[in-house]
């Protein structure tokens, strides 16, 4: 017998007190009865104290609990998995009466099943229809074994049986750790191999360039490794930017390492992403037919121009290309979504594209592209630039040296504007918050002579702010804060109220903006709009979300001689409002013949400070920020060209343009290409990484980067002050620790599990060296057709169906006996009382 708690035995000291009481007792009883009563009471107290110490007997239990884990991932054949479930059913029937069991399915997680029949039914449904691709996309064997061990009850022998093809898809090293943990916990682990995929299948398992770096025009050999489970014919393509550059026929053998070298020319400077695509004659999983890699290509500066009509940029493109600057002109939706694609360019030029055509995420990427990766961002003047393009208070404007706010000139026409904002119940949360933000931004862009009113509407119109001077900015914005969502949707009363306000307003330009995300009550909206248009009031509309009355809103804008905006993203509403406010105020553009004067000293103007620069035919009104360096001004004193540093990169603003609209004089100038090539070279990303070499290797769910840092004399540099950050495809930035592992040698490890495509920025702060690495996410490891068993599983004993309990050691059990001690204690105490009373 043993005790679980020995501290309770200290209470035995109470026997001394009891003995002292007996010694000084005045009870007049026969000694035999008196001492007998004392002995029984003392024994009762001793037994109670021993019961508090939780006594138990040890014995050996013969019962067992068996945990069955069945791998149902994509790499396992479902027919083989169904056979395994049938085997488990027969094994359960062979268990002893006192034995128990648990059943789990393993994939990209763990699922428990009450009966083998339930699991067999699930597998059967997957064979007939669409399987759970999310669950089957992984084999988390180690996690499953550690989770399933919690099902073991105490007092029984423990056996875990794994039915699997053995392909751990997260981290093979974790299998050994999991098995070691199970061994310490006396869990007997057995392995039952089941067959892998039987369908014809081929997969691209590796793609390695002969060099991670190349010069423009250099030939690089892509070594592509393909696995196949049976002989077949296929075509192997190499794609760059979605276009097939090479295609070769290949014969695949039934092995995991069919290797094919394919040579391609590196014709695109910057991070060049290449994708190997396999087109096999027979295939089961299309997901594993592509794999990508990145080659850093050094070449000419590469600049991306975005313009509503890229053809307008052809004269400028030719002039810059003559100066060895590569230009790519795209339309208004041509801005890349991913950071890796942005970093293929050394500068981005927003020549004529509004903020309403860019998502908030794209603008945040542009800000990071400049601040963290040293890129250049340029904005040129147009009807869709600066405030006119809705860039006020956006991440893009934070980068630029000029701001969209400016002092409106007195000779410009005054504006009276009414904002009609939907505040129905569907606008609750983020939409109404952004609507308030948009209205406030519109107020900030108006001049002191302008007027504004705000009307909210649900089933009724609510005047949030009466028509008042925009100079009372704080009071107007305070009123806007009271706008709350709730109720139905009826825009007509709000439009009628806004019309009354505008008709009595003493302004030359009268404008209404309507924002709604729902269907409104039937009314003569178009007739009211026509009446406003006849009275000189223009109306613009914004349809927010799928539920908006888009046809009605578009018709109102057309009849009202305004502009119609349609967006699914509430985050774009502030940009729409600021763009519309600037368009309506008719004060942000100056068009005439303006002389251009150099106003600052900067290397980009070298040789041109005293030159007679061409005239500008128009420009967008802006104001310089305190940190801006204004380089060119119009003869009116307004800024034309301004420069500023932003983080590691540069922001540049040119308020005129370089198309025939305002830049005809510049394009006809003989030095146009030379001058602007000099300006753009002062902006493009400087890839000064001399002496900094980094090699990246993916290892499971981690990305290891080995870094060598040498000085100009090729001597190792120790103690570098690194700043390293990782940016994933969702825009999440994570700091990365760089460890010094040798003289001038460093290492960083980045977790990449479920991160998708990632970019790593390495910045040597001491020498201002910058290196950017990219990793394109592979398809899940589950689809790699691997057949080799991990050594940790290969060394496990095989499970035999006929000997389910063979080799199990009896498990020690603790039999609690404290209740017998309590019973005996009460008997003794009762006996002591009886002897005392006899």
């Amino acid at each position: 017998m043993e005790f679980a708690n020995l501290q309770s035995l200290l209470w035995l000291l109470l026997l001394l007190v009891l003995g002292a009481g007996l010694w000084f007792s005045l009870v007049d009883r026969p000694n035999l009865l008196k001492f007998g009563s004392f002995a029984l009471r003392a024994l009762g107290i001793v037994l109670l104290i021993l019961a508090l110490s939780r006594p138990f007997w040890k014995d050996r239990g013969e019962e067992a609990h068996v945990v069955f884990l069945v791998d149902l991932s994509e790499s396992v054949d479902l027919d083989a998995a169904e056979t395994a479930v049938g085997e488990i059913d027969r094994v359960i029937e062979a268990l002893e009466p006192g034995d128990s069991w648990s059943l789990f399915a393993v994939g990209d997680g763990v699922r428990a099943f009450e009966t083998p029949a339930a699991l067999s039914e699930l597998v059967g449904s997957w064979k007939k229809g669409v399987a759970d691709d999310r669950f089957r996309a992984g084999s988390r064997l180690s996690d499953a074994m550690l989770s399933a061990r919690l099902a073991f009850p105490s007092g029984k022998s423990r056996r875990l049986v794994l039915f699997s093809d053995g392909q751990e898809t997260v981290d093979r090293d974790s299998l050994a750790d999991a098995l070691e943990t199970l061994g310490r916990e006396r869990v007997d682990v057995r392995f039952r191999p089941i067959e892998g995929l039987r369908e014809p299948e081929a997969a691209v398992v590796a793609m390695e360039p002969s060099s991670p770096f190349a010069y423009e025009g250099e030939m690089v050999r892509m070594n592509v490794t393909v696995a196949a489970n049976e002989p077949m014919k296929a075509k192997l393509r190499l794609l760059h930017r979605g276009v097939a550059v090479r295609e070769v026929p290949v014969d695949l053998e039934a092995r995991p390492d069919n290797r094919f070298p394919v040579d391609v020319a590196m014709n695109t400077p910057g991070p060049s992403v290449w994708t190997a695509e396999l087109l096999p004659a027979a295939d089961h999983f299309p997901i594993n037919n592509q794999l990508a890699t990145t080659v850093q290509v050094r070449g000419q500066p590469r600049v991306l121009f975005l313009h509503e009509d890229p053809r307008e940029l052809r004269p400028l493109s030719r002039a810059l290309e003559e100066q060895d600057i590569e230009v790519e002109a795209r339309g208004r939706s041509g801005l890349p979504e991913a950071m890796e694609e942005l970093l293929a360019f050394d500068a981005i030029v927003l020549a004529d594209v509004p903020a309403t055509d860019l998502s908030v995420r794209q603008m945040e990427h542009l800000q990071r592209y400049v601040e963290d990766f040293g890129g250049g961002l340029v904005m040129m003047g147009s009807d869709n630039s600066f405030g006119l393009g809705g860039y006020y208070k956006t991440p893009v404007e934070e980068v630029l040296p000029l701001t969209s706010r400016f002092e409106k000139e007195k000779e410009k026409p005054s504006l009276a504007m009414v904002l009609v904002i939907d505040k129905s119940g569907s606008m609750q949360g983020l939409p109404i918050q952004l609507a308030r933000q948009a209205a406030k931004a519109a107020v900030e862009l108006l001049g002191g002579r302008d007027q504004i009113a705000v009307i909210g509407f649900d089933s009724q119109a609510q005047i949030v702010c009466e028509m008042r001077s925009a100079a009372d900015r704080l009071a107007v914005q305070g009123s806007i804060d009271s706008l709350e969502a709730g109720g139905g949707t009826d825009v007509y009363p709000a439009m009628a109220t806004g019309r009354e306000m505008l008709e009595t307003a003493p302004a030359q330009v009268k404008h209404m903006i309507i924002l709604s995300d729902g269907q409104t009550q039937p009314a003569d909206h178009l007739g009211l709009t026509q009446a406003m248009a006849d009275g000189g009031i223009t109306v613009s509309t914004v349809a927010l979300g799928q539920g908006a009355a888009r046809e009605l809103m578009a018709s109102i804008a057309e009849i009202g001689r305004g502009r119609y905006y349609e967006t699914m993203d509430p985050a774009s509403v502030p940009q729409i409002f600021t763009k519309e406010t600037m368009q309506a105020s008719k004060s942000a553009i100056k068009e005439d013949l303006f002389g251009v004067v150099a106003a600052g000293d900067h290397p980009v103007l070298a040789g041109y400070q005293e030159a007679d620069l061409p005239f500008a035919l128009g420009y967008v009104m802006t104001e310089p920020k305190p940190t801006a360096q204004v380089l060119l001004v119009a003869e009116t004193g307004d800024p034309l060209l301004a420069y500023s540093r932003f983080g590691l990169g540069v922001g540049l603003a040119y308020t005129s343009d370089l198309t025939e609209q305002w830049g005809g004089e510049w394009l006809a100038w003989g030095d146009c290409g030379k001058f602007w090539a000099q300006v753009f070279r002062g902006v493009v990303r400087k890839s000064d990484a001399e002496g900094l070499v980094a090699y990246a290797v993916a290892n499971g769910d981690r990305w290891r980067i080995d870094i060598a840092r040498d000085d100009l004399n090729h001597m190792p540099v120790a103690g570098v002050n690194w700043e390293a950050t990782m940016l994933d495809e969702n825009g999440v930035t994570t700091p990365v620790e760089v460890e010094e592992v040798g003289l001038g040698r460093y290492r960083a490890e980045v977790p990449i599990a479920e991160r998708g495509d990632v970019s790593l920025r390495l910045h040597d702060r001491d020498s201002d060296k910058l290196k950017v690495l990219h990793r394109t996410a592979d398809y899940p490891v589950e689809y790699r057709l691997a057949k080799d068993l991990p050594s940790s599983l290969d060394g496990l004993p095989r499970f035999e169906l006929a000997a389910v309990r063979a080799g199990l050691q009896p498990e020690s059990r603790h039999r609690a006996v404290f209740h017998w001690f309590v019973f005996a204690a009460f008997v003794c105490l009762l006996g002591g009382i009886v002897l005392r009373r006899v």
Side-chain angles (χ1 to χ4, degrees), residues 490-509:
D490 190 358
V491 70
Y492 187 87
M495 291 175 63
T497 304
R499 176 194 177 188
E500 293 173 4
M501 290 181 171
L502 289 170
E503 284 180 339
T504 58
Q508 296 166 282
V509 179

Side-chain angles (χ1 to χ4, degrees), residues 82-106:
E82 197 168 35
T83 301
V85 176
E87 293 175 349
I88 292 171
D89 197 19
R90 294 194 298 274
V91 169
I92 291 173
E93 292 177 358
L95 292 175
E96 299 291 338
D99 295 339
S100 54
W101 56 272
S102 301
L103 176 61
F104 298 92
V106 184

